[in-house]
Amino acid sequence: MRETSAGSRDEGPVCKAVTADGDGKGGAGGVAATARRRRRRLELRRMGRTAAAAEEGVAAKRVRSGSERSSSDSSVEADHGAGWPACLSHGAVSVIGRRREMEDAFSVALSFLASAGKGGGGGGGGGGSDGEEDFFAVYDGHGGARVAEACRERLHVVLAEEVGLRRGVAERDARWKEALVASFARVDGEVTGGLAPPPKQKAAAGADPDLPYRTVGSTAVVAVVGQRRIVVANCGDSRAVLCRGGVAVPLSTDHKPDRPDELQRVEAAGGRVINWNGYRVLGVLATSRSIGDYYLKPYVSAEPEVTVVDRTDQDEFLILASDGLWDVVSNEVACKIARNCLSGRAASMFPETVAGCTAADAAALLTELAMSRGSKDNISVVVVELQRVKRSGGGGGAA
C-alpha cells in the first residue's frame, strides 16, 4: 500500500531480513530456558515419549531455517485432545523490491505471553495454559518506516499486557477481541501522540517540526496462533490467508476506501473518498484503516477487524503478507506455491531454483514470485507451518 502515486525507481530486490528464530525482539530468544524445556516436554509427552527421551531431545535440538518448534517431524501425529503445537516452524522474508525506501517490517514472538510473564492462564487463544500462543505480524508503512518500526517493537508487548488485564473475561474469543482492539488503540496513541522530531529539525527556525511525522502510518495484520485457535486482527490492506486442506481461506478482508462499508464509514466521519490513481481517502491514502496517519483522523481508523477460527486437522500453514505480494498474487496461487514448497514437490521439480522445503523457503519463493510478476512495492511475507504437508497432498506445478 502506497500513499501517493509517485513513480518508483527500478531496483533489484534487496533482502532486508530472513528470520531463523523470530526477530530478536520478544521472539524465541526472549523465552526463558525453563519455559522452552517445559514446552518441549509437553510436546514429547503427547507423542508418548518418556521424560528421559524428552531431556535427550532438548540436548539434541535441531534448528532448521524458519525455526523448528519440534525436533521431530512426527509431532503432527500427537494426540490433539489438548490441541496442536502452536506452530511447527516459521519463516519470514522482507525485501525492498523496486521501491526507493524500505517501509515494511515484520515481527515474530514465540510464546509471547510466557515471555511477558503472563503465560499462566493468560492465553486462551490457543486453549493452552503455558503461554503457547505465538505472535506473527506484518506491517506495511507509508510516508516512512517510523510507525511500522514502532509497531514491530511495541504491538506484541502491548498485546501481552492487555491480555493479562482481561484474565477475568470468561469468553475467550471476547477476551482476544477486546485485547487486540485495545492494543491497536494504545499503539496508535503512542505513535500519534509521541512522535518527537529529531534534534536537527527542532532547531530549524520557523518550521513545524512535528508536521513531517504526522503523515506517517502503517497497516498491520497480526496472527496469534495457539493450540486450539488462530486469532487474526487486520487494520489496512495487508492480509492473512490460511491453507486448509489445500484450500485458501482468507482470515482478513482488505480495508480499501471503495469497500462499501468502509466508504460509508469514511463519509459518515466527514471525509471523502476520491479516485486519484485509485480510490484514496481525501485523494491521498489508498487504505481506509491504519495505525498512525494523525492528519487523516478520524476518517482513517486504527480499529482492527478481528477473526477467530478454531484449528482443525486440515490446517496446513498460514501466510501473512503485505500488499506487495497480494497486489500481484491471488490467495489461491500463493497457497498453491507455498504448499508445493512445503511438501518438497517444488524442490524436486525445480532443484536448481528451489533450495528446500522449509517455511523460510516458502516465504522466499512467494517473494520471488511477486517480484517476477512485476510488484513495485516492498514485499514482506511470513509463512507459519501448522503441520507437515504430505507430498501426496501437494497441488500441481508452479503457477
Side-chain angles (χ1 to χ4, degrees):
M1 182 274 302
R2 295 294 297 175
E3 185 172 347
T4 67
S5 59
S8 60
R9 183 175 64 198
D10 197 317
E11 300 180 7
V14 179
C15 185
K16 182 182 181 183
V18 179
T19 180
D21 202 14
D23 64 355
K25 295 285 186 179
V31 181
T34 55
R36 188 176 298 178
R37 286 195 296 271
R38 181 176 67 247
R39 181 173 65 247
R40 194 168 191 82
R41 284 197 298 271
L42 287 171
E43 292 174 356
L44 295 174
R45 193 176 300 127
R46 295 189 193 104
M47 292 184 282
R49 298 187 179 181
T50 64
E55 293 299 326
E56 293 174 2
V58 172
K61 181 178 180 181
R62 175 174 61 87
V63 177
R64 238 175 36 178
S65 176
S67 174
E68 284 290 336
R69 173 55 66 85
S70 170
S71 65
S72 171
D73 286 355
S74 63
S75 60
V76 294
E77 303 298 330
D79 177 9
H80 299 311
W84 289 262
C87 79
L88 297 182
S89 70
H90 70 272
V93 173
S94 189
V95 301
I96 191 171
R98 295 186 173 92
R99 287 295 181 189
R100 292 185 177 91
E101 298 179 6
M102 184 61 180
E103 297 175 327
D104 278 8
F106 67 86
S107 177
V108 175
L110 303 183
S111 301
F112 77 108
L113 296 178
S115 65
K118 295 181 173 59
S129 60
D130 293 297
E132 286 284 348
E133 292 79 14
D134 296 335
F135 177 99
F136 305 93
V138 168
Y139 307 110
D140 182 0
H142 48 267
R146 188 178 178 118
V147 173
E149 291 170 353
C151 290
R152 179 184 62 198
E153 300 297 323
R154 288 287 296 154
L155 192 53
H156 63 281
V157 177
V158 172
L159 178 57
E161 295 173 359
E162 292 293 337
V163 171
L165 293 173
R166 289 166 174 76
R167 293 178 181 175
V169 179
E171 210 282 308
R172 287 172 173 170
D173 292 0
R175 182 191 314 172
W176 276 105
K177 290 180 179 179
E178 290 177 10
L180 282 160
V181 170
S183 300
F184 276 60
R186 275 183 59 183
V187 174
D188 180 64
E190 291 176 6
V191 300
T192 57
L195 292 177
K200 183 182 295 186
Q201 279 203 311
K202 277 186 176 180
D208 181 357
D210 289 327
L211 186 59
Y213 302 102
R214 302 299 185 180
T215 62
V216 184
S218 176
T219 71
V221 61
V222 168
V224 177
V225 180
Q227 295 173 315
R228 290 186 179 276
R229 294 175 180 81
I230 299 172
V231 185
V232 170
N234 181 56
C235 178
D237 55 5
S238 294
R239 192 182 307 165
V241 178
L242 172 69
C243 183
R244 174 172 285 173
V247 177
V249 179
L251 298 185
S252 66
T253 304
D254 300 353
H255 292 122
K256 296 293 189 181
D258 59 336
R259 202 178 97 176
D261 56 339
E262 287 296 287
L263 174 62
Q264 183 178 10
R265 182 187 61 77
V266 171
E267 292 180 341
R272 293 183 60 194
V273 173
I274 301 172
N275 189 350
W276 184 271
N277 192 26
Y279 289 95
R280 300 171 183 271
V281 178
L282 300 188
V284 177
L285 193 63
T287 181
S288 56
R289 297 197 191 191
S290 70
I291 294 175
D293 291 307
Y294 177 84
Y295 75 117
L296 287 175
K297 295 187 180 302
Y299 322 127
V300 173
S301 171
E303 181 178 351
E305 288 185 312
V306 181
T307 302
V308 182
V309 295
D310 292 330
R311 289 184 58 173
T312 75
D313 56 6
Q314 296 294 309
D315 295 346
E316 298 170 345
F317 56 88
L318 180 68
I319 302 173
L320 305 178
S322 60
D323 64 343
L325 174 72
W326 303 119
D327 283 347
V328 294
V329 179
S330 68
N331 296 350
E332 292 74 20
V333 170
C335 285
K336 184 177 181 180
I337 294 297
R339 196 167 191 253
N340 284 341
C341 185
L342 290 170
S343 69
R345 185 181 180 90
S348 63
M349 293 177 64
F350 310 106
E352 295 181 358
T353 56
V354 181
C357 56
T358 68
D361 293 321
L365 194 58
L366 289 172
T367 302
E368 293 169 7
L369 175 63
M371 289 292 299
S372 69
R373 291 194 169 190
S375 177
K376 294 180 173 60
D377 207 344
N378 303 146
I379 306 166
S380 295
V381 181
V382 176
V383 175
V384 182
E385 187 180 17
L386 302 175
Q387 66 171 299
R388 296 284 180 257
V389 179
K390 296 179 181 179
R391 182 180 297 271
S392 60

